[in-house]
Amino acid sequence: MTTLACIIRPSVPPARVVSLARAVEAAGIDEIWLWEDCFQTGGISAATAILAATEHVRVGLGVMPTPLRNVAPMAMEVATVEGMFPGRLIPGIGHGVQPWMAQVGARAASPLTLMREYATTLRALLAGERVTTSGRYVRLDDVALDWPPARAVPVPVAATGPKSLRLAGQVGDGVVLEGSVGLSGLPGALEHVAEGRAVAGREDEPFPVVQFVTGGTGPDVVERLRAELTTWGQDVSDDERLATHAIWGDAQQIADGVRRFAEAGADTVAVQPAADDPDLERLAGVLGEARELLGAG
């Protein structure tokens, strides 16, 4: 069954995050995904608060920028949260938005090199290995976690361009695709991922595909979604084009939209509300109804 997730955007005030997460869990949704955008809600802190306030919902971080954190404290944070809430954290990593990385003095000259070194080292540390490495960006001397996770923690990698997608296939435990990929771009993106997996000899390993999709419900939803996607540079001038980048309507319509993305290769469809969505709790409820329809189908 395809996983239907709900995204809590970092523009949601911190004081609302926990109550909204509880509403998402109460609706029966299995996963919540968070962004970590500069300079809004912190990913690890928000995820930990959500996990402490809920009982079973999984929380994905989509994604934490690798330039912002040394890989050793990143591993420490992930291992600590995993130890407190086993099996409920999905710690995704990515290049980060390059202008933001430059703004904080952390932009890497070669994001691909950084990702290769970082993902490889993070996975090793989380696996309980003792690591010594001297790369271009990642340098550790005899580092091992005192409290490594008791289970393997998958680390998905976010990617957009062909080189990043191939790298995600090589060094990630899954891929996170942002909304710009869309329904029409999903099969091609997964071809690049498959090329990377083949190079690394990882074709037989589990490799979940998480696709972010803008979505909503309510009487004015089409206008809201079209306005937002237009500001992101998407051509959504008619409903057919809008449907390649968005899911909207009642529970049945949203379930049908999720199925389209699943048929194109997505294992998890994470619905991200528009920035001006007037009722996030209502959206969570409709997503919960759609999940039931997906399970029945």
Side-chain angles (χ1 to χ4, degrees):
M1 175 182 165
T2 304
T3 298
L4 176 56
C6 181
I7 293 173
I8 298 179
R9 295 173 60 146
S11 53
V12 172
R16 286 200 62 201
V17 168
V18 166
S19 62
L20 182 55
R22 285 174 172 152
V24 171
E25 181 174 68
I29 297 168
D30 296 313
E31 290 182 4
I32 293 170
W33 280 78
L34 307 174
W35 301 353
E36 192 173 60
D37 278 2
C38 295
F39 300 93
Q40 299 179 321
T41 311
I44 288 288
S45 54
T48 305
I50 290 172
L51 291 167
T54 55
E55 295 183 3
H56 56 77
V57 68
R58 297 183 296 274
V59 179
L61 288 167
V63 291
M64 297 177 285
T66 56
L68 289 183
R69 296 180 182 86
N70 180 283
V71 70
M74 172 73 90
M76 291 164 56
E77 295 283 8
V78 171
T80 299
V81 178
E82 168 65 22
M84 292 188 290
F85 308 101
R88 295 179 60 198
L89 178 70
I90 309 169
I93 57 175
H95 298 306
V97 177
Q98 296 308 298
W100 286 337
M101 299 303 99
Q103 192 175 356
V104 298
R107 183 169 184 166
S110 177
L112 288 171
T113 300
L114 171 59
M115 177 57 71
R116 183 181 298 278
E117 296 177 358
Y118 199 104
T120 303
T121 304
L122 178 59
R123 293 171 68 218
L125 290 170
L126 293 175
E129 298 178 20
R130 184 171 296 275
V131 179
T132 295
T133 184
S134 181
R136 181 175 178 182
Y137 297 104
V138 177
R139 302 180 182 89
L140 298 181
D141 182 10
D142 195 33
V143 174
L145 297 176
D146 283 1
W147 298 100
R151 65 158 196 135
V153 178
V155 180
V157 171
T160 51
K163 292 181 180 179
S164 293
L165 289 163
R166 293 188 194 101
L167 183 60
Q170 292 180 49
V171 303
D173 297 310
V175 65
V176 180
L177 303 172
E178 64 177 30
S180 64
V181 172
L183 189 61
S184 59
L186 183 52
L190 296 184
E191 288 181 8
H192 293 304
V193 169
E195 291 170 2
R197 296 180 70 195
V199 168
R202 303 181 64 195
E203 300 98 321
D204 296 330
E205 296 180 17
F207 196 88
V209 175
V210 181
Q211 173 70 67
F212 287 5
V213 184
T214 302
T217 190
D220 59 346
V221 63
V222 171
E223 291 76 12
R224 287 190 284 105
L225 297 183
R226 179 170 287 123
E228 173 147 324
L229 289 168
T230 298
T231 65
W232 293 356
Q234 303 295 333
D235 178 8
V236 290
S237 52
D238 56 49
D239 286 359
E240 183 176 352
R241 291 187 176 91
L242 182 63
T244 66
H245 290 282
I247 297 171
W248 71 91
D250 59 22
Q252 185 63 64
Q253 291 170 313
I254 288 177
D256 291 342
V258 170
R259 289 191 184 99
R260 290 196 298 272
F261 279 89
E263 290 167 359
D267 298 300
T268 294
V269 177
V271 177
Q272 58 187 41
D276 62 349
D277 192 298
D279 192 340
L280 296 174
E281 286 80 5
R282 177 184 65 179
L283 176 60
V286 174
L287 292 179
E289 295 172 11
R291 180 192 177 280
E292 292 182 4
L293 293 171
L294 289 166

